[in-house]
């Protein structure tokens, strides 16, 4: 596989097969929405062109504006909680994330598992994801088809 398929629910089947790395490396603008800060930090630490954002990052508007000035291709990893805010900041910067950026929702099964105590984060991703023209939900943990 050389690209993540778009507008798909992708059951990888196995963990660690490189789908997230492929989303980072493939051509084009990408936002990677991830459930946990540790995942964002891990991917950002090993990918110098990837901007990692989560709730504890100060002055996100300035950080994103500086990143956009120095990178031709947008690659942002963000926690589910901070995802709506990043969409708003990109829009304020003159970028339409819903049309211009591919959304890669990693570990999407956690939205179901954690919904009771992370309802706002899950709803934020699901509500905004509807507006993205190109998106894929990825997990190696299968969810029953009826959900």
């Amino acid at each position: 596989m050389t690209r993540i398929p778009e507008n798909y629910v992708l059951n990888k089947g196995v963990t660690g097969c490189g789908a997230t790395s492929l989303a980072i490396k493939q051509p084009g603008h990408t936002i990677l929405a991830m459930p946990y800060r540790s995942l964002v930090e891990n991917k950002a630490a090993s990918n110098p062109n990837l901007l990692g954002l989560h709730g504890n990052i100060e002055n996100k508007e300035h950080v994103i504006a500086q990143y956009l000035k120095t990178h031709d291709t947008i690659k942002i990893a963000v926690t589910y909680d901070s995802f709506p805010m990043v969409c708003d900041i990109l829009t304020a910067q003159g970028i339409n994330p819903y049309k211009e950026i591919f959304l890669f929702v990693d570990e999407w099964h956690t939205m179901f598992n954690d919904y009771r105590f992370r309802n706002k984060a899950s709803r934020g991703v699901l509500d905004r994801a509807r507006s993205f023209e190109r998106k894929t939900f990825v997990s190696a943990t299968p969810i029953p088809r009826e959900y």
Side-chain angles (χ1 to χ4, degrees):
M1 184 182 311
T2 58
R3 287 191 69 84
I4 300 296
E6 295 177 358
N7 301 319
Y8 224 74
V9 174
L10 181 62
N11 176 5
K12 302 185 302 184
V14 295
T15 60
C17 67
T20 306
S21 295
L22 179 57
I24 294 167
K25 290 177 174 53
Q26 74 183 17
H29 303 312
T30 306
I31 293 176
L32 297 95
M34 302 174 149
Y36 309 117
R37 185 174 72 194
S38 59
L39 293 174
V40 170
E41 290 172 346
N42 177 277
K43 288 299 177 185
S46 59
N47 294 281
N49 291 320
L50 180 68
L51 176 62
L53 294 172
H54 50 74
N56 292 343
I57 303 291
E58 297 285 326
N59 200 4
K60 290 177 192 69
E61 294 89 353
H62 177 73
V63 170
I64 291 174
Q66 289 304 113
Y67 176 83
L68 294 174
K69 288 179 185 175
T70 59
H71 292 80
D72 293 328
T73 303
I74 299 167
K75 299 288 182 176
I76 299 175
V78 62
T79 57
Y80 291 168
D81 301 84
S82 295
F83 173 69
M85 178 218 38
V86 168
C87 292
D88 292 342
I89 292 171
L90 289 170
T91 301
Q93 293 287 324
I95 295 167
N96 183 340
Y98 309 104
K99 291 190 180 297
E100 299 176 43
I101 299 178
F102 170 63
L103 173 61
F104 180 91
V105 180
D106 203 9
E107 305 293 345
W108 72 278
H109 69 277
T110 61
M111 284 189 237
F112 296 92
N113 296 341
D114 299 351
Y115 191 80
R116 250 182 294 191
F117 61 91
R118 288 188 71 196
N119 178 322
K120 184 177 178 184
S122 297
R123 290 278 5 133
V125 172
L126 294 172
D127 289 345
R128 297 286 179 120
R130 286 184 201 152
S131 298
F132 275 78
E133 289 182 2
R134 300 175 305 119
K135 60 200 161 259
T136 295
F137 293 79
V138 180
S139 181
T141 304
I143 299 288
R145 196 164 200 49
E146 66 263 20
Y147 298 112

